[in-house]
């Protein structure tokens, strides 16, 4: 696409456009940085002079906590080991949940009979406040990896399932008919038309789904675990160690952002056939 | 006379209409198409032309009567049918080449083989330079040509075309009409070509079928005795063309007027 622009328009205009884009980006980022600095500074000052840092902590204490975790480790082994445990749980639950959600969503989306049969069950299970299942899974699967994967799974599954279902239902009939005329079997229609059509729906859900996977893993750890970021937070809470809670939150946030970036890259790759306007817009 | 390759025997198609009633789109329609024959179907808008094609293609079963292809009742999609839909049906997530290669791939050709055949057809419809483009990067006319290549790469014996060129500007349309005749000649394919444009129908076809206002049935059939090969631009100027045109227009006009009256009466 960028080639097409470069061929069609004079070089100077292109470079003007590029530098305008760069200027705007610099502006956006410097304002963002200023906002963060402002926020941290006012928190720090407020906690030093007016509010009680015992309850609210302050950025410098949180920073020291982070430094302590990364240099001396935590009370449950090195911070990296804890991050790894949480990520294993989240990624495990995410992959299994997304796979199950996609497969079942597409299956039900393409089969009205099956969808009609399953609808009340799915609605019922969806209405259960799923996060409390973490307690149940702890009893079923114990303190280890499995109970957290199960919690993450159940959260991810529903997030992905509904999107895959909707995506599979809204496939253009015309495209399906065309493929059938061109000689596609039922399976080929599914793999070459239904799945790619539903992909943009599914990918959209994967963003929030990974967030859910992390929530599932962390909540699972808060409920009961031997290691992991959720356990660190739960323990900090038990010790009235407010900076520890913030530090745990920050580490989790960073992990979530990294995963988000990876998913966005995947999405760009898979949806490169779409008109560019669709993904140059600001996405939140 | 050779046996017809396509035959509709008093075929009727009813749909459930939006308000819960029953809408008859096609009413005891009978027509035949011989191998290698080019039949154009004209009729007022909404009368049931697309529905007629869907009966032949096997996408919709008739509610009554029969649809036969090669003398056999249509059930499922018959072998050797190509169908260019009225609406865009190219896959937006595939490049031009991959779109055209889809048919051969579905029918079991190897990747390399399918690609080779696709390249030939992409070239034939004049999109050689655009093989790597995605549909959203093409003009409407170019997308129609992709659809044409996608259909023809399967070398259909029966070609159903639903207003394939109606969205094109006059020049491109004439170009595509010539192209179609060139590509079709010598293939021996039987064609049903639906159009609003009587000019187009006469310029392309051996036989023009005029349909009645909704529900569609055959009102009259006209033989077009013009010589082939034809140049669609020039043939329009000949007196023979003008004569046929006047004759068919008489018949078509009544139906078009009927449709217009009905829609202005709000029925
Ligand atoms: N799947 C369907 N369900 C319900 N009604 C339908 C369906 N397909 C077509 N119809 C109805 O059948 C009638 C004929 O439709 P059809 O598409 O065959 O018309 P057409 O002659 O191709 O019109 P146009 O020239 O505008 O393309 C219309 O009134 C339409 O509403
Ligand atoms: Mg139509």
């Amino acid at each position: 696409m960028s080639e097409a622009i470069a061929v069609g328009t004079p070089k100077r205009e292109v470079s003007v456009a590029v530098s305008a884009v760069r200027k705007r980006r610099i502006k956006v980022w410097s304002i963002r940085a200023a906002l963060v600095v402002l926020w941290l500074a006012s928190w720090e000052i407020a906690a030093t002079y007016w509010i009680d840092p015992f309850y609210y902590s302050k950025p410098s204490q949180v920073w020291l906590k982070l430094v302590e975790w990364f240099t001396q480790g935590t009370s449950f082994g090195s911070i990296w080991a804890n991050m790894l445990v949480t990520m294993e749980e989240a990624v495990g639950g995410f992959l299994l949940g997304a796979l199950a959600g996609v497969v079942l969503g597409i299956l039900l989306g393409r089969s009205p009979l099956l969808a009609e049969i399953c609808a009340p069950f799915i609605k019922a299970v969806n209405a259960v406040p799923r996060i409390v299942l973490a307690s149940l899974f702890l009893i079923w699967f114990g303190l280890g990896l499995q109970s957290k994967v199960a919690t993450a799974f159940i959260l991810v599954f529903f997030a992905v399932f509904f999107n895959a279902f909707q995506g599979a239902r809204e496939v253009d009939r015309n495209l399906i008919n065309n493929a059938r005329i061109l000689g596609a079997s039922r399976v080929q229609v599914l793999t070459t038309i239904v799945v790619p059509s539903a992909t943009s729906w599914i990918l959209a859900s994967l963003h929030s789904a990974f967030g859910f996977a992390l929530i599932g893993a962390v909540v699972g750890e808060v409920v009961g675990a031997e290691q992991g970021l959720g356990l660190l937070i739960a323990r900090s809470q038990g010790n009235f160690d407010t900076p520890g809670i913030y530090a745990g939150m920050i580490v989790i946030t960073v992990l979530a952002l990294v995963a988000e970036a990876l998913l966005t890259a995947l999405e760009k790759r898979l949806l490169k056939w779409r008109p560019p306007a669709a993904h140059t817009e600001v996405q939140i | 006379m050779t046996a017809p390759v396509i035959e509709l025997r008093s075929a009727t198609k009813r749909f459930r209409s939006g308000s819960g009633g029953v809408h008859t789109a096609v009413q005891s329609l009978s027509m035949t198409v011989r191998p290698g024959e080019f039949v154009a179907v004209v009729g007022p808008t909404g009368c049931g032309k697309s529905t007629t094609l869907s009966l032949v293609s096997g996408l919709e079963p008739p509610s009554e009567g029969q649809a036969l292809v090669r003398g056999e009742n249509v059930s499922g999609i018959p072998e050797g049918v190509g169908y260019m839909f009225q609406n865009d049906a190219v896959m937006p997530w595939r490049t031009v080449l991959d779109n055209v290669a889809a048919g051969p791939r579905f029918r079991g050709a190897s990747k390399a083989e399918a690609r080779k055949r696709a390249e030939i057809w992409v070239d034939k419809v004049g999109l050689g330079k655009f093989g790597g483009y995605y549909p959203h990067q093409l003009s409407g006319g170019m997308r129609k040509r992709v659809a044409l290549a996608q259909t023809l790469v399967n070398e259909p014996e029966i070609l159903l075309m639903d207003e394939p060129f109606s969205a094109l500007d006059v020049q491109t349309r004439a170009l595509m009409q010539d192209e179609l005749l060139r590509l079709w000649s010598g293939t021996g394919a039987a064609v049903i070509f639906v159009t609003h444009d009587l000019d187009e129908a006469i310029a392309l076809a051996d036989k023009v079928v005029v349909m009645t206002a909704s529900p569609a049935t055959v009102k009259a059939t006209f033989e077009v005795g013009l010589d082939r090969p034809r140049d669609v631009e020039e043939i329009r100027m000949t007196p023979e063309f003008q004569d046929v045109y006047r004759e068919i227009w008489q018949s078509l006009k009544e139906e078009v007027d009927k449709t217009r009256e009905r829609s202005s009466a709000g029925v």
Side-chain angles (χ1 to χ4, degrees), chain B residues 15-16 23 25 44-51 60 86 163 196:
Chain B
F15 288 111
R16 204 163 298 156
H23 177 87
T45 179
C47 72
K49 303 183 293 295
S50 300
T51 306
E60 296 277 359
Q86 189 167 5
E163 303 187 25
H196 275 133

PDB file of all heavy atoms in Angstrom, chain B residues 15-16 23 25 44-51 60 86 163 196, ligand 1:
ATOM      1  N   PHE B  15     -41.748 -18.054  -1.586  1.00  0.00           N
ATOM      2  CA  PHE B  15     -40.980 -17.709  -0.390  1.00  0.00           C
ATOM      3  C   PHE B  15     -41.946 -17.270   0.687  1.00  0.00           C
ATOM      4  O   PHE B  15     -43.015 -16.746   0.385  1.00  0.00           O
ATOM      5  CB  PHE B  15     -40.034 -16.536  -0.671  1.00  0.00           C
ATOM      6  CG  PHE B  15     -38.876 -16.885  -1.545  1.00  0.00           C
ATOM      7  CD1 PHE B  15     -38.794 -16.376  -2.831  1.00  0.00           C
ATOM      8  CD2 PHE B  15     -37.867 -17.706  -1.069  1.00  0.00           C
ATOM      9  CE1 PHE B  15     -37.701 -16.685  -3.639  1.00  0.00           C
ATOM     10  CE2 PHE B  15     -36.783 -18.014  -1.868  1.00  0.00           C
ATOM     11  CZ  PHE B  15     -36.707 -17.508  -3.152  1.00  0.00           C
ATOM     12  N   ARG B  16     -41.540 -17.453   1.921  1.00  0.00           N
ATOM     13  CA  ARG B  16     -42.292 -16.828   2.998  1.00  0.00           C
ATOM     14  C   ARG B  16     -41.950 -15.340   2.953  1.00  0.00           C
ATOM     15  O   ARG B  16     -40.789 -14.974   2.933  1.00  0.00           O
ATOM     16  CB  ARG B  16     -41.872 -17.424   4.340  1.00  0.00           C
ATOM     17  CG  ARG B  16     -42.948 -17.268   5.378  1.00  0.00           C
ATOM     18  CD  ARG B  16     -42.707 -18.215   6.542  1.00  0.00           C
ATOM     19  NE  ARG B  16     -42.733 -19.614   6.156  1.00  0.00           N
ATOM     20  CZ  ARG B  16     -42.122 -20.578   6.846  1.00  0.00           C
ATOM     21  NH1 ARG B  16     -41.432 -20.287   7.921  1.00  0.00           N
ATOM     22  NH2 ARG B  16     -42.191 -21.833   6.456  1.00  0.00           N
ATOM     23  N   HIS B  23     -45.083 -15.441  -0.708  1.00  0.00           N
ATOM     24  CA  HIS B  23     -44.834 -14.659  -1.905  1.00  0.00           C
ATOM     25  C   HIS B  23     -44.397 -15.605  -3.024  1.00  0.00           C
ATOM     26  O   HIS B  23     -43.465 -16.384  -2.844  1.00  0.00           O
ATOM     27  CB  HIS B  23     -43.721 -13.634  -1.633  1.00  0.00           C
ATOM     28  CG  HIS B  23     -43.364 -12.831  -2.830  1.00  0.00           C
ATOM     29  ND1 HIS B  23     -44.026 -11.675  -3.170  1.00  0.00           N
ATOM     30  CD2 HIS B  23     -42.427 -13.021  -3.789  1.00  0.00           C
ATOM     31  CE1 HIS B  23     -43.498 -11.198  -4.278  1.00  0.00           C
ATOM     32  NE2 HIS B  23     -42.525 -11.986  -4.675  1.00  0.00           N
ATOM     33  N   ALA B  25     -42.529 -16.054  -6.215  1.00  0.00           N
ATOM     34  CA  ALA B  25     -41.525 -15.335  -6.994  1.00  0.00           C
ATOM     35  C   ALA B  25     -41.539 -15.807  -8.443  1.00  0.00           C
ATOM     36  O   ALA B  25     -41.381 -15.023  -9.367  1.00  0.00           O
ATOM     37  CB  ALA B  25     -40.138 -15.528  -6.390  1.00  0.00           C
ATOM     38  N   PRO B  44     -38.915  -7.098 -15.823  1.00  0.00           N
ATOM     39  CA  PRO B  44     -38.912  -5.954 -14.913  1.00  0.00           C
ATOM     40  C   PRO B  44     -38.245  -6.302 -13.587  1.00  0.00           C
ATOM     41  O   PRO B  44     -38.152  -7.479 -13.226  1.00  0.00           O
ATOM     42  CB  PRO B  44     -40.401  -5.638 -14.723  1.00  0.00           C
ATOM     43  CG  PRO B  44     -41.143  -6.824 -15.208  1.00  0.00           C
ATOM     44  CD  PRO B  44     -40.270  -7.566 -16.143  1.00  0.00           C
ATOM     45  N   THR B  45     -37.821  -5.278 -12.885  1.00  0.00           N
ATOM     46  CA  THR B  45     -37.090  -5.506 -11.638  1.00  0.00           C
ATOM     47  C   THR B  45     -37.965  -6.207 -10.597  1.00  0.00           C
ATOM     48  O   THR B  45     -39.169  -5.955 -10.518  1.00  0.00           O
ATOM     49  CB  THR B  45     -36.556  -4.177 -11.086  1.00  0.00           C
ATOM     50  OG1 THR B  45     -35.871  -4.460  -9.868  1.00  0.00           O
ATOM     51  CG2 THR B  45     -37.655  -3.179 -10.812  1.00  0.00           C
ATOM     52  N   GLY B  46     -37.346  -7.131  -9.869  1.00  0.00           N
ATOM     53  CA  GLY B  46     -38.065  -7.837  -8.808  1.00  0.00           C
ATOM     54  C   GLY B  46     -39.022  -8.901  -9.291  1.00  0.00           C
ATOM     55  O   GLY B  46     -39.800  -9.426  -8.502  1.00  0.00           O
ATOM     56  N   CYS B  47     -38.967  -9.248 -10.591  1.00  0.00           N
ATOM     57  CA  CYS B  47     -39.975 -10.178 -11.090  1.00  0.00           C
ATOM     58  C   CYS B  47     -39.639 -11.624 -10.750  1.00  0.00           C
ATOM     59  O   CYS B  47     -40.526 -12.466 -10.635  1.00  0.00           O
ATOM     60  CB  CYS B  47     -40.160 -10.023 -12.600  1.00  0.00           C
ATOM     61  SG  CYS B  47     -38.802 -10.652 -13.590  1.00  0.00           S
ATOM     62  N   GLY B  48     -38.366 -11.935 -10.546  1.00  0.00           N
ATOM     63  CA  GLY B  48     -38.014 -13.308 -10.186  1.00  0.00           C
ATOM     64  C   GLY B  48     -36.925 -13.902 -11.059  1.00  0.00           C
ATOM     65  O   GLY B  48     -36.798 -15.122 -11.170  1.00  0.00           O
ATOM     66  N   LYS B  49     -36.096 -13.056 -11.633  1.00  0.00           N
ATOM     67  CA  LYS B  49     -35.040 -13.555 -12.516  1.00  0.00           C
ATOM     68  C   LYS B  49     -33.936 -14.253 -11.724  1.00  0.00           C
ATOM     69  O   LYS B  49     -33.503 -15.354 -12.077  1.00  0.00           O
ATOM     70  CB  LYS B  49     -34.438 -12.383 -13.322  1.00  0.00           C
ATOM     71  CG  LYS B  49     -35.468 -11.630 -14.138  1.00  0.00           C
ATOM     72  CD  LYS B  49     -34.846 -10.524 -14.969  1.00  0.00           C
ATOM     73  CE  LYS B  49     -34.265  -9.385 -14.148  1.00  0.00           C
ATOM     74  NZ  LYS B  49     -35.278  -8.621 -13.379  1.00  0.00           N
ATOM     75  N   SER B  50     -33.509 -13.600 -10.646  1.00  0.00           N
ATOM     76  CA  SER B  50     -32.458 -14.227  -9.829  1.00  0.00           C
ATOM     77  C   SER B  50     -32.951 -15.537  -9.254  1.00  0.00           C
ATOM     78  O   SER B  50     -32.199 -16.520  -9.161  1.00  0.00           O
ATOM     79  CB  SER B  50     -32.035 -13.288  -8.693  1.00  0.00           C
ATOM     80  OG  SER B  50     -31.528 -12.088  -9.202  1.00  0.00           O
ATOM     81  N   THR B  51     -34.213 -15.560  -8.859  1.00  0.00           N
ATOM     82  CA  THR B  51     -34.789 -16.782  -8.305  1.00  0.00           C
ATOM     83  C   THR B  51     -34.738 -17.912  -9.335  1.00  0.00           C
ATOM     84  O   THR B  51     -34.426 -19.060  -9.000  1.00  0.00           O
ATOM     85  CB  THR B  51     -36.237 -16.524  -7.865  1.00  0.00           C
ATOM     86  OG1 THR B  51     -36.247 -15.402  -6.983  1.00  0.00           O
ATOM     87  CG2 THR B  51     -36.822 -17.722  -7.179  1.00  0.00           C
ATOM     88  N   GLU B  60     -31.600 -23.306  -4.563  1.00  0.00           N
ATOM     89  CA  GLU B  60     -32.970 -23.333  -4.028  1.00  0.00           C
ATOM     90  C   GLU B  60     -33.739 -24.427  -4.772  1.00  0.00           C
ATOM     91  O   GLU B  60     -33.674 -24.503  -5.996  1.00  0.00           O
ATOM     92  CB  GLU B  60     -33.684 -22.000  -4.283  1.00  0.00           C
ATOM     93  CG  GLU B  60     -33.071 -20.806  -3.588  1.00  0.00           C
ATOM     94  CD  GLU B  60     -33.524 -20.672  -2.140  1.00  0.00           C
ATOM     95  OE1 GLU B  60     -34.337 -21.515  -1.694  1.00  0.00           O
ATOM     96  OE2 GLU B  60     -33.064 -19.734  -1.470  1.00  0.00           O
ATOM     97  N   GLN B  86     -25.408 -11.669  -8.596  1.00  0.00           N
ATOM     98  CA  GLN B  86     -25.733 -10.262  -8.804  1.00  0.00           C
ATOM     99  C   GLN B  86     -24.896  -9.373  -7.874  1.00  0.00           C
ATOM    100  O   GLN B  86     -24.435  -8.325  -8.271  1.00  0.00           O
ATOM    101  CB  GLN B  86     -27.232 -10.067  -8.514  1.00  0.00           C
ATOM    102  CG  GLN B  86     -27.760  -8.711  -8.894  1.00  0.00           C
ATOM    103  CD  GLN B  86     -29.293  -8.697  -8.888  1.00  0.00           C
ATOM    104  OE1 GLN B  86     -29.935  -9.672  -8.516  1.00  0.00           O
ATOM    105  NE2 GLN B  86     -29.872  -7.605  -9.309  1.00  0.00           N
ATOM    106  N   GLU B 163     -26.976 -10.299 -14.032  1.00  0.00           N
ATOM    107  CA  GLU B 163     -26.636  -8.893 -14.228  1.00  0.00           C
ATOM    108  C   GLU B 163     -25.171  -8.618 -13.923  1.00  0.00           C
ATOM    109  O   GLU B 163     -24.854  -7.760 -13.098  1.00  0.00           O
ATOM    110  CB  GLU B 163     -27.529  -8.008 -13.336  1.00  0.00           C
ATOM    111  CG  GLU B 163     -28.993  -8.243 -13.605  1.00  0.00           C
ATOM    112  CD  GLU B 163     -29.883  -7.254 -12.859  1.00  0.00           C
ATOM    113  OE1 GLU B 163     -29.414  -6.166 -12.545  1.00  0.00           O
ATOM    114  OE2 GLU B 163     -31.056  -7.596 -12.636  1.00  0.00           O
ATOM    115  N   HIS B 196     -31.057  -6.299 -17.200  1.00  0.00           N
ATOM    116  CA  HIS B 196     -32.123  -5.306 -17.326  1.00  0.00           C
ATOM    117  C   HIS B 196     -32.088  -4.650 -18.690  1.00  0.00           C
ATOM    118  O   HIS B 196     -33.004  -3.956 -19.088  1.00  0.00           O
ATOM    119  CB  HIS B 196     -31.904  -4.171 -16.308  1.00  0.00           C
ATOM    120  CG  HIS B 196     -32.464  -4.478 -14.973  1.00  0.00           C
ATOM    121  ND1 HIS B 196     -31.760  -4.276 -13.817  1.00  0.00           N
ATOM    122  CD2 HIS B 196     -33.652  -4.976 -14.601  1.00  0.00           C
ATOM    123  CE1 HIS B 196     -32.495  -4.629 -12.798  1.00  0.00           C
ATOM    124  NE2 HIS B 196     -33.646  -5.072 -13.239  1.00  0.00           N
TER     125      HIS B 196
HETATM  126  N1  LIG C   1     -34.728 -15.778  -0.095  1.00  0.00           N
HETATM  127  C1  LIG C   1     -35.869 -15.092  -0.290  1.00  0.00           C
HETATM  128  N2  LIG C   1     -36.792 -15.008   0.689  1.00  0.00           N
HETATM  129  C2  LIG C   1     -37.942 -14.317   0.510  1.00  0.00           C
HETATM  130  N3  LIG C   1     -38.249 -13.669  -0.630  1.00  0.00           N
HETATM  131  C3  LIG C   1     -37.381 -13.712  -1.640  1.00  0.00           C
HETATM  132  C4  LIG C   1     -36.141 -14.418  -1.527  1.00  0.00           C
HETATM  133  N4  LIG C   1     -35.471 -14.281  -2.699  1.00  0.00           N
HETATM  134  C5  LIG C   1     -36.248 -13.517  -3.483  1.00  0.00           C
HETATM  135  N5  LIG C   1     -37.402 -13.191  -2.869  1.00  0.00           N
HETATM  136  C6  LIG C   1     -38.507 -12.392  -3.443  1.00  0.00           C
HETATM  137  O1  LIG C   1     -38.790 -12.892  -4.724  1.00  0.00           O
HETATM  138  C7  LIG C   1     -39.039 -11.839  -5.629  1.00  0.00           C
HETATM  139  C8  LIG C   1     -38.147 -11.991  -6.854  1.00  0.00           C
HETATM  140  O2  LIG C   1     -36.812 -11.779  -6.462  1.00  0.00           O
HETATM  141  P1  LIG C   1     -35.618 -11.900  -7.476  1.00  0.00           P
HETATM  142  O3  LIG C   1     -34.370 -11.598  -6.736  1.00  0.00           O
HETATM  143  O4  LIG C   1     -35.671 -13.191  -8.175  1.00  0.00           O
HETATM  144  O5  LIG C   1     -35.946 -10.718  -8.494  1.00  0.00           O
HETATM  145  P2  LIG C   1     -35.111 -10.237  -9.768  1.00  0.00           P
HETATM  146  O6  LIG C   1     -35.969 -10.413 -10.949  1.00  0.00           O
HETATM  147  O7  LIG C   1     -33.776 -10.875  -9.794  1.00  0.00           O
HETATM  148  O8  LIG C   1     -34.969  -8.682  -9.455  1.00  0.00           O
HETATM  149  P3  LIG C   1     -33.781  -7.683  -9.896  1.00  0.00           P
HETATM  150  O9  LIG C   1     -33.943  -7.461 -11.351  1.00  0.00           O
HETATM  151  O10 LIG C   1     -34.085  -6.439  -9.124  1.00  0.00           O
HETATM  152  O11 LIG C   1     -32.515  -8.328  -9.522  1.00  0.00           O
HETATM  153  C9  LIG C   1     -38.829 -10.550  -4.872  1.00  0.00           C
HETATM  154  O12 LIG C   1     -40.085 -10.003  -4.562  1.00  0.00           O
HETATM  155  C10 LIG C   1     -38.117 -10.952  -3.618  1.00  0.00           C
HETATM  156  O13 LIG C   1     -38.551 -10.169  -2.532  1.00  0.00           O
END
